[in-house]
Amino acid sequence: MYSEKVMDHFENPRNVGKLENANAVGEVGNATCGDIMKIYMNIEDGIIKDVKFKTFGCGAAIATSSMATELVKGKSVEEALRLSNRAVMEALDGLPPAKVHCSVLAEQAIRAALKDYSQKTGIDLGLGEDEREFDCASFHHDTAQDDTH
């Protein structure tokens, strides 16, 4: 059901914890699926010098949080903004259809932290004020419909 990479990032998550000196913090979650992700970043000169996460959720939520932090660590803010849930899934060698929403939450947590950084520093990153909130319930419904075709 899960790839070796998913299992590795679940059993040995990278970048777990809280950054005390974080200048960017993002939290996303949904009560429907129960996953909550909080991302902490230390950004210096436009580069993500350090990143950590705390996730409450299933194994896939932990694995996607871990992989997302690995994918943005050491990258520029602009590169991190381009991180997609698809890139997270590909880096993990895929996710079961019912767990794709975890990769979307990981992407949104990264974007939420970058939005926080933008607001704190006044640097316009082109993130709108009203990011669309992800609804796990509708995603599961859509996924279930897609699986029947």
Side-chain angles (χ1 to χ4, degrees):
M1 182 168 175
Y2 290 111
S3 72
E4 285 183 33
K5 284 186 181 177
V6 171
M7 292 306 297
D8 181 40
H9 277 267
F10 167 62
E11 293 172 349
N12 307 293
R14 284 64 151 182
N15 308 307
V16 176
K18 179 180 179 181
L19 281 177
E20 295 301 326
N21 61 338
N23 57 2
V25 180
E27 183 172 355
V28 295
N30 188 292
T32 304
C33 63
D35 298 327
I36 301 169
M37 298 179 182
K38 192 164 189 175
I39 302 281
Y40 304 86
M41 295 180 181
N42 179 18
I43 302 172
E44 296 175 21
D45 300 321
I47 303 295
I48 300 168
K49 297 291 186 180
D50 202 2
V51 58
K52 296 211 180 284
F53 77 92
K54 287 186 171 186
T55 292
F56 178 82
C58 66
I62 293 166
T64 57
S65 298
S66 174
M67 181 56 79
T69 60
E70 285 288 280
L71 292 172
V72 300
K73 191 173 190 176
K75 300 286 197 275
S76 70
V77 168
E78 292 77 19
E79 289 172 300
L81 279 171
R82 291 192 298 266
L83 179 72
S84 68
N85 75 298
R86 184 174 302 278
V88 174
M89 286 192 309
E90 287 173 1
L92 288 169
D93 293 335
L95 287 171
K99 296 298 180 177
V100 170
H101 71 279
C102 295
S103 66
V104 174
L105 286 172
E107 174 190 341
Q108 287 186 334
I110 296 291
R111 291 181 67 82
L114 294 171
K115 184 175 180 178
D116 178 58
Y117 175 74
S118 174
Q119 291 170 340
K120 287 177 179 173
T121 62
I123 298 171
D124 184 9
L125 298 177
L127 295 167
E129 285 301 311
D130 295 314
E131 287 279 314
R132 188 173 69 91
E133 194 159 315
F134 184 69
D135 180 8
C136 291
S138 67
F139 187 85
H140 285 303
H141 178 70
D142 292 343
T143 302
Q145 283 183 329
D146 291 344
D147 288 344
T148 60
H149 295 291

